[in-house]
Amino acid sequence: MRVLIVRPPKYLWPYMNEQDNFLLPQALVCLGAELRRRGHDVVLLDAMPLKMGWKSLERTIRDLKPQIVAAGDSETLYQHETGRVFQTAKHVDPSIFTVAGGTHFSHLPQYSFGKYPIDAIVRGEGEDTFGELVDTLEGGGDIEKVLGLALPNDDGTPRFTGHRPLIANLDDLALPAYDLMPMDKYGTARYLFSPGGVTMHHSRGCIDGCAYCACWLQMARRSGDLPNEILQPHYRQRSVEPVLDEMELLRYKYNKSCVVFVDDTFNVNPKWMDTFAEEKMRRGLDSAWFGFMRADFLHRDLESGLFGKLIRSGLTHICVGMERADDQELADMQKHNMHVERNTATVKALRRRFPELFLQTTFIVGTRNDSEASLNHLLDYVEDLDPDYPAFHPMTPVPGTKTWEDAKQNGWLEITDFARYDWMTPVMGTDHMSRDDLEWKIWEMNKKYMNPFRVMRGLFCRHTYRRRMYIWWLKVSINVGIDFILDRILPSRSTSRKAQLSEYVGMIKPVWYDH
């Protein structure tokens, strides 16, 4: 069958815009590789680096004449653009079979079927389910027998085909179909993930089930009666050799020399990482790399000396979810084995021993008990930690998470338009702060942290990668800051901009979006 898998035109997040970089979508290359291995005619279309707008996408669907159009997203704020893919496909040809995937659609099937013309939702890990679905459609079989699907009833309610087991051995996966993507258009940023940034994964899933996080849900173990299923965090990883083989392919065939590992948690298995670092250095592979790291495992690897070996193997940039400055708050978020005192010591040791490392951290503001005083305390904690880039994100309940269920049950949500769930715009207040007060406080925290001393220290850092990242951070922060201020001092601009964005606040509309 001819299958078209699409990442549609999207509004841009200011800190990852078209002037900086486009990151390769792993879902497309992984699903495309599996369908091709099964003998199907696959076209992968990423509208973002191609700067393909909606009119061009519609013409492309007409020209390609696909029998199946698939799209999906785990980011809630993009779900309406994914849904527009299905509307466009059905407008071109109502017989096209439309398939949605990703965390958002997996956890809101009834909402999705009621809003968009979707014929099936692939729930959870996609390769086996989507591959079997396409095989079944081609052979005229009964898709009700394909595990892992949600299908629409006539009234828009979902029916489920049962749980799909997770792939037992990730080494069995086909090599991602990089050759079906415009690889020359990824990783072209001068500063961000430079030079030649590209995504990869060495593992799937997570060992933890944080209450606010949707990432682990997609690769969770599923059990129990549907729709009231039980999700349990589950972690798997590939072998070292195929991971390094893939890195070499990206380095030498596609000239991508900064690998962004998009694993939920990179640093779970110290034995794997030790072997990875040794073998990468033995091969003489000069790719720099980035990983999302857990603070408790960072402490372990600093103590053992393993982290130094990772640095020698090319690790240049990490992102650590620190989130809060209070042990009980971390426990309430279901971040297990996290302790503020140990986290603080770990970050300070990283700062002292590895000045070449760009250290990025995330913090969540807007928990139910947050007040002006608690956020001042959090900022004091962050300033003491002294990361290179602390991202302050408002608590944003997304479907599938415990935080989402709590917010719905208690009526906390003030904004229900998913297009505004951008992790920049507060969608609810706290018991002590209004939503507007919280938004202003986040701006103040960012402004206060980004003081001239810190910026100049980074801009004149002798380590090339870290210096580049400071230039990027300063550049986009200035642009975001100007927009923030102008929207508040020029009411006509703010009103016009909101009307243009249809309340897609904080995001940037590309000039080619409608073309």
Side-chain angles (χ1 to χ4, degrees):
M1 298 192 80
R2 167 155 286 202
V3 183
L4 174 63
I5 309 178
V6 180
R7 179 163 75 161
K10 295 181 178 181
Y11 278 58
L12 304 170
W13 196 55
Y15 280 80
M16 186 72 71
N17 59 50
E18 62 182 297
Q19 287 75 38
D20 286 320
N21 206 349
F22 292 110
L23 289 177
L24 174 76
Q26 281 284 305
L28 267 66
V29 291
C30 291
L31 292 172
E34 176 60 25
L35 292 186
R36 183 167 61 181
R37 181 163 67 175
R38 291 171 179 258
H40 298 289
D41 180 11
V42 186
V43 178
L44 306 182
L45 180 57
D46 186 356
M48 301 299 286
L50 298 174
K51 299 183 180 179
M52 175 185 286
W54 285 101
K55 292 178 182 177
S56 297
L57 176 59
E58 181 174 339
R59 286 194 299 269
T60 300
I61 295 174
R62 288 187 187 278
D63 292 342
L64 289 173
K65 296 181 173 58
Q67 296 158 288
I68 299 173
V69 169
D73 219 300
S74 292
E75 294 285 351
T76 291
L77 81 155
Y78 296 129
Q79 61 85 34
H80 66 293
E81 286 162 327
T82 301
R84 188 173 172 182
V85 172
F86 309 129
Q87 293 168 336
T88 302
K90 293 290 189 181
H91 175 72
V92 170
D93 181 355
S95 71
I96 291 175
F97 193 92
T98 53
V99 183
T103 304
H104 179 89
F105 293 96
S106 292
H107 290 277
L108 277 188
Q110 183 161 343
Y111 169 89
S112 303
F113 287 140
K115 194 170 181 64
Y116 306 114
I118 299 171
D119 294 314
I121 294 174
V122 171
R123 305 182 70 246
E125 190 171 39
E127 286 91 347
D128 284 352
T129 303
F130 190 34
E132 187 179 336
L133 172 62
V134 176
D135 289 347
T136 304
L137 288 169
E138 183 177 54
D142 183 4
I143 64 173
E144 301 276 354
K145 296 179 180 178
V146 178
L147 296 177
L149 297 177
L151 302 170
N153 293 313
D154 291 340
D155 62 357
T157 59
R159 65 186 187 277
F160 302 95
T161 62
H163 299 296
R164 167 73 61 174
L166 293 169
I167 296 169
N169 184 359
L170 296 182
D171 290 343
D172 291 339
L173 292 168
L175 178 71
Y178 296 117
D179 59 303
L180 299 183
M181 301 294 280
M183 294 296 288
D184 60 315
K185 297 186 181 299
Y186 297 106
T188 60
R190 184 176 180 183
Y191 303 117
L192 179 63
F193 302 132
S194 175
V198 67
T199 59
M200 252 189 77
H201 70 276
H202 94 277
S203 67
R204 290 186 175 182
C206 192
I207 63 163
D208 215 345
C210 299
Y212 58 87
C213 181
C215 296
W216 67 273
L217 301 174
Q218 188 70 355
M219 302 296 175
R221 274 186 173 149
R222 299 169 185 269
S223 61
D225 295 331
L226 289 162
N228 300 314
E229 63 185 342
I230 299 169
L231 301 181
Q232 294 177 305
H234 187 61
Y235 180 83
R236 298 156 292 157
Q237 60 190 157
R238 303 163 63 192
S239 299
V240 169
E241 290 290 331
V243 169
L244 287 168
D245 291 346
E246 190 174 329
M247 290 181 73
E248 288 185 330
L249 174 74
L250 292 167
R251 176 68 182 92
Y252 301 127
K253 182 175 181 178
Y254 297 108
N255 197 31
K256 304 303 179 189
S257 55
C258 184
V259 173
V260 180
F261 281 102
V262 292
D263 311 62
D264 294 348
T265 306
F266 185 90
N267 60 336
V268 172
N269 186 338
K271 183 178 179 181
W272 191 99
M273 290 189 295
D274 185 75
T275 304
F276 168 80
E278 288 280 2
E279 179 62 13
K280 183 176 182 296
M281 290 187 286
R282 188 194 68 78
R283 294 188 185 197
L285 181 56
D286 63 353
S287 301
W289 59 281
F290 161 102
F292 293 97
M293 307 280 188
R294 277 181 64 96
D296 52 345
F297 294 156
L298 277 175
H299 173 77
R300 175 200 66 197
D301 298 337
L302 277 169
E303 291 289 303
S304 70
L306 173 58
F307 194 81
K309 183 179 288 188
L310 298 180
I311 292 288
R312 294 192 297 275
S313 77
L315 176 61
T316 56
H317 185 166
I318 64 173
C319 182
V320 189
M322 309 293 287
E323 315 311 1
R324 301 294 294 182
D326 180 88
D327 284 350
Q328 186 57 53
E329 289 182 323
L330 292 173
D332 291 343
M333 290 179 172
Q334 298 181 2
K335 289 187 70 71
H336 300 107
N337 198 34
M338 293 294 174
H339 305 290
V340 170
E341 184 176 349
R342 185 180 63 198
N343 290 353
T344 303
T346 299
V347 170
K348 289 189 173 183
L350 287 171
R351 268 274 152 268
R352 183 175 64 253
R353 293 166 58 182
F354 304 106
E356 67 271 40
L357 178 71
F358 188 84
L359 177 58
Q360 182 176 341
T361 53
T362 60
F363 298 91
I364 292 178
V365 301
T367 61
R368 292 313 302 172
N369 291 323
D370 260 341
S371 62
E372 183 91 10
S374 71
L375 293 182
N376 287 337
H377 171 67
L378 178 61
L379 181 59
D380 289 342
Y381 170 64
V382 175
E383 290 183 312
D384 183 55
L385 284 176
D386 194 28
D388 289 302
Y389 172 36
F392 298 105
H393 295 300
M395 177 66 84
T396 305
V398 292
T401 64
K402 182 180 184 300
T403 305
W404 164 261
E405 295 300 332
D406 290 344
K408 280 200 311 174
Q409 182 177 346
N410 291 286
W412 294 333
L413 291 174
E414 299 173 44
I415 293 177
T416 55
D417 178 2
F418 290 134
R420 299 181 68 180
Y421 281 47
D422 55 14
W423 289 93
M424 297 181 294
T425 306
V427 300
M428 59 185 184
T430 77
D431 289 340
H432 309 286
M433 301 178 74
S434 71
R435 195 175 62 81
D436 288 342
D437 288 342
L438 186 59
E439 184 174 16
W440 183 256
K441 187 62 180 179
I442 293 170
W443 161 250
E444 285 187 332
M445 292 170 75
N446 279 296
K447 183 178 68 171
K448 184 174 181 182
Y449 187 85
M450 191 178 166
N451 62 57
F453 170 74
R454 281 196 173 89
V455 173
M456 296 302 292
R457 182 187 64 185
L459 293 177
F460 289 96
C461 172
R462 65 186 180 89
H463 302 288
T464 302
Y465 181 89
R466 192 173 170 211
R467 185 171 63 251
R468 285 174 178 162
M469 290 299 298
Y470 267 88
I471 295 172
W472 164 78
W473 180 31
L474 178 63
K475 173 178 171 287
V476 294
S477 295
I478 289 173
N479 291 337
V480 172
I482 290 172
D483 276 342
F484 183 92
I485 292 170
L486 289 178
D487 280 350
R488 283 153 180 77
I489 65 175
L490 298 174
S492 61
R493 179 184 189 273
S494 179
T495 302
S496 172
R497 197 159 168 264
K498 286 182 179 180
Q500 176 196 28
L501 297 179
S502 300
E503 298 300 322
Y504 206 175
V505 177
M507 307 297 282
I508 298 171
K509 182 179 182 178
V511 295
W512 44 265
Y513 184 82
D514 295 316
H515 297 168

